[in-house]
Amino acid sequence: MYTLVLQHAAQVLTLAGADSHRPLAGADLGSWHIIENGYVACRGTQIAAVGPMSELDATQIDADTQLIDATGRVVMPGLVECHTHLVFGGNRAHEFERKLRGESYLDILASGGGILSTVRQTRAASEEELLANALHHLEGFGRYGVTTVEAKSGYGLDRDTELRLVRVARAAGRQQPLRVVPTFLGAHVVPPEFKAAGPRAYVDFILHDVLSDLKGEAAFVDIFCEEGAFPLDVSRYYLEQAHKMGFGLKIHAEQLHDLGGCEMAAALGATSVDHCDYLTPEAAARIAQQTEGRTVAVLLPLVPLFLRQEKYAPGRQFIDNGLPLALGTDFNPGSCPSKNLWLALSVACLKMGFTPKEAVAAATLNAAWALNLAPEIGSLEVGKRADVLVLNVGSVSEIPYWLGENPVREVIVGGQVLATASV
Protein backbone atom coordinates (compact mmCIF):
# COMPACT_ATOMS: atom_id res chain seq x y z
CA MET A 1 0.00 0.00 0.00
CA TYR A 2 1.03 3.60 -0.56
CA THR A 3 2.00 5.44 2.61
CA LEU A 4 1.74 8.93 1.07
CA VAL A 5 0.04 10.28 -2.06
CA LEU A 6 0.30 13.83 -3.37
CA GLN A 7 -2.62 14.17 -5.76
CA HIS A 8 -4.31 16.53 -8.24
CA ALA A 9 -1.15 18.57 -8.83
CA ALA A 10 -1.47 21.19 -11.54
CA GLN A 11 2.02 20.20 -12.66
CA VAL A 12 4.34 17.42 -11.54
CA LEU A 13 7.89 18.41 -12.46
CA THR A 14 9.43 14.97 -12.88
CA LEU A 15 12.89 15.95 -14.19
CA ALA A 16 12.71 12.62 -16.05
CA GLY A 17 13.03 12.03 -19.76
CA ALA A 18 16.72 12.21 -20.66
CA ASP A 19 19.86 10.07 -20.39
CA SER A 20 19.88 8.65 -16.86
CA HIS A 21 23.63 8.00 -16.96
CA ARG A 22 24.87 11.59 -17.10
CA PRO A 23 23.80 15.12 -16.15
CA LEU A 24 21.33 17.07 -18.25
CA ALA A 25 23.09 19.21 -20.85
CA GLY A 26 22.25 21.29 -23.89
CA ALA A 27 18.61 21.04 -24.94
CA ASP A 28 18.00 18.26 -22.39
CA LEU A 29 18.39 20.75 -19.54
CA GLY A 30 15.00 22.19 -20.39
CA SER A 31 13.19 19.34 -22.14
CA TRP A 32 12.38 17.02 -19.24
CA HIS A 33 8.82 15.79 -18.67
CA ILE A 34 6.02 17.69 -16.90
CA ILE A 35 2.80 15.85 -15.99
CA GLU A 36 -0.36 17.96 -15.97
CA ASN A 37 -2.96 17.02 -13.30
CA GLY A 38 -0.65 14.46 -11.81
CA TYR A 39 0.23 12.58 -8.65
CA VAL A 40 3.24 11.23 -6.78
CA ALA A 41 2.84 8.14 -4.60
CA CYS A 42 5.33 7.03 -1.98
CA ARG A 43 5.86 3.77 -0.18
CA GLY A 44 7.96 4.30 2.90
CA THR A 45 11.04 6.32 2.06
CA GLN A 46 10.84 5.82 -1.71
CA ILE A 47 8.78 6.99 -4.65
CA ALA A 48 6.47 4.17 -5.74
CA ALA A 49 4.60 5.72 -8.69
CA VAL A 50 4.35 8.97 -10.65
CA GLY A 51 1.81 9.80 -13.33
CA PRO A 52 -1.42 11.51 -14.38
CA MET A 53 -4.37 11.26 -12.00
CA SER A 54 -6.19 9.05 -14.50
CA GLU A 55 -3.58 6.34 -13.84
CA LEU A 56 -3.54 6.47 -10.03
CA ASP A 57 -4.12 2.96 -8.66
CA ALA A 58 -6.78 3.47 -5.97
CA THR A 59 -6.36 -0.11 -4.78
CA GLN A 60 -3.01 0.95 -3.26
CA ILE A 61 -4.69 3.54 -1.03
CA ASP A 62 -6.16 2.57 2.34
CA ALA A 63 -7.13 4.26 5.59
CA ASP A 64 -3.49 4.58 6.64
CA THR A 65 -2.39 6.35 3.44
CA GLN A 66 -1.62 10.03 4.00
CA LEU A 67 -3.23 12.14 1.28
CA ILE A 68 -2.05 15.62 0.32
CA ASP A 69 -4.25 17.69 -1.95
CA ALA A 70 -2.01 19.58 -4.40
CA THR A 71 -4.82 21.04 -6.48
CA GLY A 72 -3.56 24.05 -8.41
CA ARG A 73 0.00 23.52 -7.14
CA VAL A 74 3.35 22.46 -8.51
CA VAL A 75 4.86 19.25 -7.13
CA MET A 76 8.59 18.82 -7.73
CA PRO A 77 11.73 17.19 -6.32
CA GLY A 78 13.32 18.61 -3.20
CA LEU A 79 16.02 21.18 -3.93
CA VAL A 80 19.60 19.92 -3.85
CA GLU A 81 21.99 22.58 -2.53
CA CYS A 82 25.35 21.51 -3.96
CA HIS A 83 27.62 24.35 -2.78
CA THR A 84 27.56 25.75 0.76
CA HIS A 85 30.00 26.64 3.53
CA LEU A 86 27.61 25.48 6.22
CA VAL A 87 29.78 25.33 9.33
CA PHE A 88 31.45 28.49 10.60
CA GLY A 89 31.68 30.79 13.60
CA GLY A 90 30.45 34.38 13.80
CA ASN A 91 29.59 36.46 10.76
CA ARG A 92 31.09 39.23 8.63
CA ALA A 93 28.36 41.85 8.77
CA HIS A 94 31.02 44.39 9.73
CA GLU A 95 32.66 43.89 6.32
CA PHE A 96 29.42 44.55 4.45
CA GLU A 97 29.85 48.29 4.90
CA ARG A 98 33.43 48.07 3.62
CA LYS A 99 32.11 46.45 0.46
CA LEU A 100 29.48 49.15 0.12
CA ARG A 101 32.26 51.74 0.31
CA GLY A 102 33.96 50.08 -2.66
CA GLU A 103 36.53 47.68 -1.20
CA SER A 104 36.86 44.50 -3.24
CA TYR A 105 36.67 40.91 -2.04
CA LEU A 106 40.41 40.44 -2.60
CA ASP A 107 41.26 43.79 -0.96
CA ILE A 108 39.47 42.76 2.22
CA LEU A 109 41.13 39.33 2.16
CA ALA A 110 44.58 40.89 1.72
CA SER A 111 44.00 43.11 4.77
CA GLY A 112 43.39 40.09 6.99
CA GLY A 113 39.63 40.13 6.65
CA GLY A 114 37.38 37.97 4.54
CA ILE A 115 37.98 34.27 4.93
CA LEU A 116 40.71 34.88 7.53
CA SER A 117 38.27 36.86 9.69
CA THR A 118 35.91 33.89 9.76
CA VAL A 119 38.85 31.57 10.46
CA ARG A 120 39.61 33.47 13.65
CA GLN A 121 35.98 33.31 14.79
CA THR A 122 35.65 29.63 13.85
CA ARG A 123 38.81 28.56 15.65
CA ALA A 124 37.52 30.33 18.78
CA ALA A 125 34.09 28.66 18.65
CA SER A 126 33.36 25.46 20.55
CA GLU A 127 32.14 22.35 18.80
CA GLU A 128 28.79 22.79 20.50
CA GLU A 129 28.48 26.34 19.16
CA LEU A 130 29.39 25.27 15.65
CA LEU A 131 26.86 22.45 15.74
CA ALA A 132 24.11 24.74 17.02
CA ASN A 133 24.86 27.22 14.22
CA ALA A 134 24.86 24.47 11.59
CA LEU A 135 21.53 23.09 12.81
CA HIS A 136 20.06 26.60 12.72
CA HIS A 137 21.18 27.07 9.13
CA LEU A 138 19.90 23.64 8.11
CA GLU A 139 16.50 24.52 9.53
CA GLY A 140 16.55 27.59 7.33
CA PHE A 141 17.48 25.59 4.25
CA GLY A 142 14.64 23.20 5.01
CA ARG A 143 12.13 26.04 5.03
CA TYR A 144 13.26 26.85 1.49
CA GLY A 145 12.61 23.29 0.37
CA VAL A 146 16.24 22.16 0.32
CA THR A 147 16.39 18.48 1.19
CA THR A 148 20.11 17.79 0.56
CA VAL A 149 22.94 20.17 1.53
CA GLU A 150 26.62 19.98 0.65
CA ALA A 151 28.73 21.37 3.52
CA LYS A 152 32.32 22.52 2.95
CA SER A 153 34.90 22.94 5.67
CA GLY A 154 37.55 25.60 5.11
CA TYR A 155 37.25 28.02 8.02
CA GLY A 156 39.72 26.25 10.28
CA LEU A 157 42.88 26.03 8.17
CA ASP A 158 44.57 23.92 10.82
CA ARG A 159 44.32 20.20 11.36
CA ASP A 160 42.12 20.07 14.45
CA THR A 161 39.63 22.74 13.42
CA GLU A 162 39.24 21.42 9.88
CA LEU A 163 38.56 17.92 11.18
CA ARG A 164 36.12 19.40 13.68
CA LEU A 165 34.22 21.18 10.89
CA VAL A 166 33.77 17.93 8.97
CA ARG A 167 32.77 16.16 12.18
CA VAL A 168 30.18 18.87 12.94
CA ALA A 169 28.75 18.66 9.42
CA ARG A 170 28.31 14.91 9.78
CA ALA A 171 26.75 15.29 13.23
CA ALA A 172 24.36 17.94 11.93
CA GLY A 173 23.30 15.55 9.18
CA ARG A 174 22.43 12.90 11.76
CA GLN A 175 20.44 15.21 14.03
CA GLN A 176 17.83 16.45 11.56
CA PRO A 177 16.15 15.12 8.40
CA LEU A 178 18.10 16.89 5.64
CA ARG A 179 20.95 14.95 4.09
CA VAL A 180 24.35 16.61 4.60
CA VAL A 181 27.27 15.83 2.28
CA PRO A 182 30.62 16.95 3.75
CA THR A 183 33.34 18.33 1.47
CA PHE A 184 36.87 19.06 2.73
CA LEU A 185 38.00 22.56 1.75
CA GLY A 186 41.07 22.77 3.91
CA ALA A 187 42.76 24.42 0.92
CA HIS A 188 40.56 27.52 1.11
CA VAL A 189 43.35 30.06 1.53
CA VAL A 190 46.84 29.84 3.01
CA PRO A 191 46.61 30.35 6.80
CA PRO A 192 48.81 32.88 8.60
CA GLU A 193 50.97 30.08 10.01
CA PHE A 194 52.06 29.14 6.47
CA LYS A 195 52.29 32.63 4.99
CA ALA A 196 56.10 32.53 4.83
CA ALA A 197 56.29 28.91 3.64
CA GLY A 198 53.70 29.44 0.91
CA PRO A 199 50.82 27.53 -0.75
CA ARG A 200 52.78 24.41 -1.72
CA ALA A 201 54.00 23.86 1.83
CA TYR A 202 50.47 24.23 3.16
CA VAL A 203 48.91 21.72 0.76
CA ASP A 204 51.74 19.30 1.54
CA PHE A 205 50.79 19.65 5.20
CA ILE A 206 47.15 18.84 4.35
CA LEU A 207 48.13 15.85 2.22
CA HIS A 208 50.49 14.39 4.80
CA ASP A 209 48.81 15.29 8.10
CA VAL A 210 45.09 15.74 7.50
CA LEU A 211 43.62 13.80 4.58
CA SER A 212 44.48 10.39 6.01
CA ASP A 213 42.04 11.10 8.85
CA LEU A 214 39.22 12.00 6.44
CA LYS A 215 38.82 8.66 4.69
CA GLY A 216 35.13 7.87 4.83
CA GLU A 217 34.36 11.20 6.49
CA ALA A 218 34.30 13.55 3.48
CA ALA A 219 33.21 12.56 0.00
CA PHE A 220 35.19 15.28 -1.79
CA VAL A 221 38.18 17.58 -1.48
CA ASP A 222 38.03 21.10 -2.85
CA ILE A 223 40.52 23.93 -3.41
CA PHE A 224 40.21 27.65 -4.12
CA CYS A 225 42.27 28.28 -7.26
CA GLU A 226 42.45 32.06 -7.42
CA GLU A 227 44.77 35.03 -7.05
CA GLY A 228 45.37 35.48 -3.34
CA ALA A 229 44.60 31.81 -2.67
CA PHE A 230 46.18 28.87 -4.57
CA PRO A 231 47.87 29.13 -7.98
CA LEU A 232 47.11 26.72 -10.79
CA ASP A 233 50.19 24.52 -10.42
CA VAL A 234 49.67 24.01 -6.68
CA SER A 235 45.97 23.34 -7.22
CA ARG A 236 46.76 20.69 -9.84
CA TYR A 237 49.33 19.01 -7.58
CA TYR A 238 46.93 18.95 -4.64
CA LEU A 239 44.00 17.53 -6.60
CA GLU A 240 46.20 14.90 -8.26
CA GLN A 241 47.46 13.69 -4.90
CA ALA A 242 44.02 13.77 -3.27
CA HIS A 243 42.59 11.79 -6.19
CA LYS A 244 45.26 9.12 -5.67
CA MET A 245 44.06 8.89 -2.07
CA GLY A 246 40.55 8.08 -3.27
CA PHE A 247 38.75 11.41 -2.83
CA GLY A 248 36.29 12.91 -5.28
CA LEU A 249 37.41 16.26 -6.65
CA LYS A 250 35.90 19.74 -6.70
CA ILE A 251 37.38 23.17 -7.32
CA HIS A 252 36.54 26.84 -6.77
CA ALA A 253 37.82 28.34 -10.00
CA GLU A 254 37.38 31.20 -12.42
CA GLN A 255 35.50 33.19 -9.78
CA LEU A 256 37.46 36.43 -10.16
CA HIS A 257 40.05 35.67 -12.84
CA ASP A 258 40.58 33.16 -15.66
CA LEU A 259 43.44 31.00 -14.37
CA GLY A 260 42.49 27.76 -16.15
CA GLY A 261 41.45 25.95 -12.97
CA CYS A 262 38.17 24.61 -14.35
CA GLU A 263 39.76 22.91 -17.34
CA MET A 264 42.57 21.55 -15.21
CA ALA A 265 40.24 20.04 -12.62
CA ALA A 266 37.86 18.66 -15.24
CA ALA A 267 40.79 16.92 -16.94
CA LEU A 268 41.54 15.23 -13.60
CA GLY A 269 37.96 13.94 -13.41
CA ALA A 270 36.46 16.53 -11.08
CA THR A 271 32.81 15.92 -10.26
CA SER A 272 32.19 19.65 -10.37
CA VAL A 273 33.89 22.94 -11.14
CA ASP A 274 32.33 25.78 -9.16
CA HIS A 275 31.80 29.54 -9.68
CA CYS A 276 32.96 29.75 -13.33
CA ASP A 277 32.11 33.45 -13.73
CA TYR A 278 35.28 33.96 -15.79
CA LEU A 279 35.17 30.61 -17.58
CA THR A 280 34.98 31.29 -21.31
CA PRO A 281 32.36 29.64 -23.52
CA GLU A 282 35.18 28.12 -25.56
CA ALA A 283 36.71 26.51 -22.47
CA ALA A 284 33.25 25.32 -21.43
CA ALA A 285 32.84 23.58 -24.78
CA ARG A 286 36.23 21.88 -24.35
CA ILE A 287 35.31 20.68 -20.87
CA ALA A 288 32.01 19.28 -22.11
CA GLN A 289 33.73 17.42 -24.93
CA GLN A 290 36.73 16.15 -23.00
CA THR A 291 34.67 14.87 -20.07
CA GLU A 292 31.81 13.57 -22.24
CA GLY A 293 29.44 15.77 -20.27
CA ARG A 294 30.20 14.26 -16.87
CA THR A 295 31.76 17.23 -15.06
CA VAL A 296 29.12 19.66 -13.80
CA ALA A 297 29.74 23.40 -13.67
CA VAL A 298 28.12 24.78 -10.51
CA LEU A 299 27.11 28.41 -11.01
CA LEU A 300 26.50 30.65 -8.00
CA PRO A 301 24.60 33.75 -9.15
CA LEU A 302 24.01 35.25 -5.70
CA VAL A 303 27.76 35.79 -5.21
CA PRO A 304 28.30 38.45 -7.88
CA LEU A 305 24.96 39.93 -6.83
CA PHE A 306 26.04 40.32 -3.21
CA LEU A 307 29.56 41.45 -4.14
CA ARG A 308 28.08 44.02 -6.56
CA GLN A 309 30.05 42.64 -9.49
CA GLU A 310 29.03 43.10 -13.10
CA LYS A 311 30.45 39.78 -14.29
CA TYR A 312 28.13 36.76 -14.24
CA ALA A 313 28.87 33.37 -15.73
CA PRO A 314 27.57 33.19 -19.33
CA GLY A 315 25.14 30.40 -18.55
CA ARG A 316 23.25 30.56 -21.84
CA GLN A 317 26.46 30.06 -23.80
CA PHE A 318 27.53 27.25 -21.49
CA ILE A 319 24.21 25.49 -22.09
CA ASP A 320 24.43 25.98 -25.83
CA ASN A 321 27.98 24.55 -25.76
CA GLY A 322 26.83 21.39 -23.98
CA LEU A 323 28.28 21.97 -20.51
CA PRO A 324 26.07 20.49 -17.74
CA LEU A 325 25.11 23.17 -15.21
CA ALA A 326 23.95 23.17 -11.61
CA LEU A 327 22.94 26.10 -9.42
CA GLY A 328 23.69 26.78 -5.76
CA THR A 329 23.73 29.66 -3.32
CA ASP A 330 27.33 29.40 -2.03
CA PHE A 331 25.87 30.14 1.41
CA ASN A 332 28.72 31.55 3.52
CA PRO A 333 29.34 34.48 5.88
CA GLY A 334 31.22 36.64 3.41
CA SER A 335 30.14 36.55 -0.22
CA CYS A 336 26.63 35.06 0.06
CA PRO A 337 24.86 35.10 3.44
CA SER A 338 21.66 33.74 1.87
CA LYS A 339 19.98 30.34 1.90
CA ASN A 340 17.35 31.38 -0.67
CA LEU A 341 18.01 29.02 -3.55
CA TRP A 342 14.79 30.22 -5.20
CA LEU A 343 16.34 33.67 -5.47
CA ALA A 344 19.40 32.08 -7.07
CA LEU A 345 17.13 30.51 -9.69
CA SER A 346 15.59 33.89 -10.45
CA VAL A 347 18.97 35.61 -10.77
CA ALA A 348 20.19 32.77 -13.00
CA CYS A 349 17.28 33.52 -15.32
CA LEU A 350 17.79 37.29 -15.17
CA LYS A 351 21.59 37.42 -15.38
CA MET A 352 22.78 34.10 -16.79
CA GLY A 353 20.20 33.35 -19.47
CA PHE A 354 18.48 30.31 -17.97
CA THR A 355 14.87 29.45 -18.73
CA PRO A 356 12.65 28.47 -15.77
CA LYS A 357 12.79 24.77 -16.66
CA GLU A 358 16.59 24.91 -17.00
CA ALA A 359 16.94 26.64 -13.65
CA VAL A 360 14.78 24.06 -11.88
CA ALA A 361 16.79 21.22 -13.43
CA ALA A 362 20.04 22.88 -12.36
CA ALA A 363 18.92 23.04 -8.71
CA THR A 364 17.59 19.48 -8.56
CA LEU A 365 18.83 16.70 -10.82
CA ASN A 366 22.05 18.33 -12.02
CA ALA A 367 22.83 19.48 -8.50
CA ALA A 368 22.47 15.85 -7.45
CA TRP A 369 24.94 14.91 -10.19
CA ALA A 370 27.35 17.48 -8.75
CA LEU A 371 27.31 15.41 -5.53
CA ASN A 372 27.33 11.98 -7.22
CA LEU A 373 23.83 11.37 -5.81
CA ALA A 374 21.72 11.39 -8.97
CA PRO A 375 20.84 7.67 -8.73
CA GLU A 376 19.12 8.44 -5.40
CA ILE A 377 17.68 11.98 -5.54
CA GLY A 378 17.00 14.95 -7.80
CA SER A 379 14.01 13.72 -9.81
CA LEU A 380 10.58 12.20 -9.23
CA GLU A 381 11.15 8.66 -10.49
CA VAL A 382 10.20 5.27 -9.10
CA GLY A 383 12.80 3.96 -6.68
CA LYS A 384 14.34 7.29 -5.79
CA ARG A 385 14.17 8.74 -2.30
CA ALA A 386 10.86 10.50 -1.69
CA ASP A 387 12.17 14.05 -1.35
CA VAL A 388 9.25 16.10 -2.68
CA LEU A 389 7.95 19.67 -2.50
CA VAL A 390 4.50 21.16 -2.91
CA LEU A 391 4.72 24.79 -4.02
CA ASN A 392 2.26 27.65 -3.79
CA VAL A 393 2.53 28.28 -7.54
CA GLY A 394 0.64 26.74 -10.43
CA SER A 395 3.32 26.34 -13.08
CA VAL A 396 7.08 26.03 -13.52
CA SER A 397 7.25 29.47 -15.13
CA GLU A 398 6.06 31.06 -11.88
CA ILE A 399 8.96 29.68 -9.84
CA PRO A 400 11.59 32.27 -10.83
CA TYR A 401 8.97 34.93 -11.57
CA TRP A 402 8.08 35.68 -7.94
CA LEU A 403 11.41 37.32 -7.15
CA GLY A 404 12.77 36.45 -3.72
CA GLU A 405 9.62 34.73 -2.49
CA ASN A 406 9.62 31.31 -0.87
CA PRO A 407 6.99 29.24 -2.72
CA VAL A 408 7.19 26.17 -0.46
CA ARG A 409 3.97 24.83 1.07
CA GLU A 410 5.02 21.29 2.03
CA VAL A 411 8.43 19.66 2.38
CA ILE A 412 8.68 15.86 2.29
CA VAL A 413 12.01 14.18 3.06
CA GLY A 414 12.28 10.43 2.74
CA GLY A 415 8.50 10.13 2.58
CA GLN A 416 7.91 12.11 5.78
CA VAL A 417 6.12 15.47 5.74
CA LEU A 418 8.35 17.97 7.56
CA ALA A 419 6.57 21.27 7.16
CA THR A 420 3.29 22.72 6.06
CA ALA A 421 3.29 26.45 5.46
CA SER A 422 0.18 28.55 5.95
CA VAL A 423 -1.63 29.03 2.65
Side-chain angles (χ1 to χ4, degrees):
M1 291 293 176
Y2 297 147
T3 53
L4 173 68
V5 177
L6 300 94
Q7 56 186 348
H8 302 295
Q11 291 186 338
V12 176
L13 312 185
T14 68
L15 276 298
D19 186 348
S20 62
H21 300 293
R22 67 189 67 216
L24 300 175
D28 288 342
L29 190 63
S31 62
W32 41 268
H33 187 45
I34 294 177
I35 299 171
E36 307 285 343
N37 188 25
Y39 77 93
V40 177
C42 309
R43 187 175 290 117
T45 61
Q46 294 185 316
I47 296 171
V50 181
M53 283 300 299
S54 60
E55 297 178 5
L56 176 60
D57 184 357
T59 66
Q60 293 299 307
I61 298 173
D62 63 14
D64 293 326
T65 304
Q66 184 176 4
L67 300 176
I68 293 179
D69 183 8
T71 300
R73 316 292 182 179
V74 164
V75 171
M76 64 172 284
L79 296 179
V80 179
E81 173 51 273
C82 61
H83 187 124
T84 85
H85 301 252
L86 178 72
V87 187
F88 55 86
N91 64 66
R92 302 216 294 271
H94 60 286
E95 293 179 2
F96 184 51
E97 292 189 31
R98 294 177 64 182
K99 292 171 184 170
L100 295 178
R101 290 195 298 266
E103 290 189 66
S104 74
Y105 179 86
L106 291 180
D107 289 339
I108 294 172
L109 177 62
S111 71
I115 294 167
L116 295 176
S117 172
T118 299
V119 168
R120 291 190 292 273
Q121 296 177 83
T122 302
R123 288 180 177 180
S126 69
E127 189 159 333
E128 292 74 19
E129 291 171 326
L130 293 171
L131 178 58
N133 287 342
L135 291 171
H136 167 74
H137 295 312
L138 286 170
E139 182 183 7
F141 275 119
R143 287 196 297 269
Y144 282 116
V146 174
T147 54
T148 295
V149 179
E150 187 253 19
K152 300 181 189 295
S153 71
Y155 291 125
L157 306 186
D158 61 29
R159 181 182 181 279
D160 290 345
T161 312
E162 284 295 317
L163 293 176
R164 182 160 68 245
L165 296 180
V166 174
R167 188 164 62 244
V168 167
R170 289 177 62 83
R174 292 191 296 267
Q175 292 186 26
Q176 49 72 62
L178 277 60
R179 178 183 297 201
V180 176
V181 180
T183 291
F184 180 70
L185 182 59
H188 202 175
V189 294
V190 178
E193 296 87 346
F194 281 83
K195 186 174 181 180
R200 173 61 185 261
Y202 178 56
V203 300
D204 274 331
F205 161 73
I206 294 173
L207 291 166
H208 296 149
D209 293 356
V210 184
L211 285 189
S212 60
D213 290 327
L214 284 167
K215 294 287 185 67
E217 300 294 315
F220 302 97
V221 299
D222 198 341
I223 189 168
F224 186 20
C225 179
E226 184 53 79
E227 293 183 12
F230 295 90
L232 183 65
D233 59 338
V234 173
S235 300
R236 177 187 292 110
Y237 164 73
Y238 176 68
L239 292 179
E240 286 174 340
Q241 299 307 310
H243 186 59
K244 291 177 183 177
M245 297 176 70
F247 290 96
L249 304 182
K250 291 178 171 287
I251 191 170
H252 286 55
E254 274 70 80
Q255 178 181 357
L256 302 170
H257 302 89
D258 183 5
L259 303 184
C262 289
E263 283 195 85
M264 176 274 293
L268 295 178
T271 302
S272 74
V273 294
D274 297 36
H275 283 286
C276 308
D277 292 321
Y278 283 79
L279 180 67
T280 67
E282 295 77 17
R286 290 193 295 269
I287 292 172
Q289 182 176 17
Q290 292 168 3
T291 67
E292 297 182 335
R294 298 188 184 280
T295 294
V296 178
V298 178
L299 308 188
L300 306 164
L302 297 186
V303 174
L305 176 69
F306 189 74
L307 296 180
R308 301 195 304 168
Q309 297 169 339
E310 297 298 322
K311 179 71 170 175
Y312 286 80
R316 179 79 264 144
Q317 292 171 286
F318 291 172
I319 295 167
D320 293 342
N321 285 340
L323 182 64
L325 301 182
L327 289 170
T329 59
D330 192 17
F331 171 69
N332 72 81
S335 59
C336 184
S338 174
K339 307 175 190 74
N340 191 344
L341 190 49
W342 304 109
L343 179 60
L345 268 62
S346 296
V347 177
C349 292
L350 293 168
K351 292 292 191 178
M352 294 179 170
F354 282 72
T355 68
K357 285 188 72 175
E358 290 167 345
V360 167
T364 53
L365 185 56
N366 272 17
W369 277 106
L371 299 176
N372 281 339
L373 291 175
E376 302 175 43
I377 59 173
S379 61
L380 300 181
E381 298 179 87
V382 174
K384 286 198 172 185
R385 192 170 76 155
D387 292 351
V388 191
L389 306 179
V390 181
L391 307 185
N392 282 317
V393 297
S395 69
V396 66
S397 61
E398 286 188 63
I399 292 174
Y401 168 74
W402 296 109
L403 186 66
E405 290 195 13
N406 181 6
V408 173
R409 195 185 78 175
E410 274 103 8
V411 180
I412 294 101
V413 178
Q416 297 295 313
V417 180
L418 300 188
T420 302
S422 59
V423 179

